[in-house]
Amino acid sequence: AVVSTQSTGTEEEQVEYLLKRTAEEAALDLRAGADLTVKPKEIDEKDEEELPWCCVCNRDAEVRCAECDNDLYCKRCFREGHDEFDLTDHKPAIFKKTSQHKKYNLEL
């Protein structure tokens, strides 16, 4: 499919369009028998340092979503974002801070 590089519509409309296209492509892949399962990434201490905050609002992270590249979320942002895009197959895992993360505790 050819995607126009010309900007049309609002940013929100463009995002909605891209999400719809991605969902349509995934549905085609599934019908073709493709394995779209995402394996949880092993957290390796050699990886880039992970900050223990929600990737949406920067509150303390409470859950991790393996299907979203192991992104961290507070419970509210996970629920709102996944409900909005009907990502009911994404299951959150409880996020617990490690000793590496605890250095980011800030007293306000």
Side-chain angles (χ1 to χ4, degrees):
V2 175
V3 178
S4 171
T5 57
Q6 182 181 10
S7 290
T8 58
T10 65
E11 183 177 352
E12 186 173 313
E13 290 169 333
Q14 292 173 5
V15 168
E16 289 291 327
Y17 170 78
L18 290 173
L19 288 171
K20 181 180 176 193
R21 292 290 308 226
T22 302
E24 290 170 352
E25 288 178 20
L28 284 172
D29 288 342
L30 284 173
R31 284 196 296 267
D35 180 11
L36 300 180
T37 57
V38 177
K39 313 274 188 290
K41 177 183 149 196
E42 291 293 322
I43 298 174
D44 186 356
E45 292 193 27
K46 296 175 189 166
D47 284 350
E48 183 177 321
E49 188 171 341
E50 176 180 63
L51 300 176
W53 301 308
C54 173
C55 64
V56 177
C57 71
N58 290 333
R59 287 188 216 129
D60 284 345
E62 299 173 84
V63 297
R64 177 185 304 279
C65 182
E67 292 83 4
C68 293
D69 293 328
N70 280 316
D71 284 343
L72 297 173
Y73 297 90
C74 67
K75 288 179 183 176
R76 178 181 176 197
C77 288
F78 177 85
R79 184 180 59 251
E80 288 177 1
H82 285 70
D83 287 351
E84 180 178 345
F85 296 108
D86 198 28
L87 301 174
T88 56
D89 58 326
H90 290 207
K91 303 298 179 210
I94 294 173
F95 171 71
K96 295 193 180 194
K97 289 183 183 178
T98 65
S99 58
Q100 270 304 90
H101 294 125
K102 292 184 180 175
K103 69 182 177 184
Y104 293 104
N105 282 345
L106 300 175
E107 303 262 343
L108 298 178

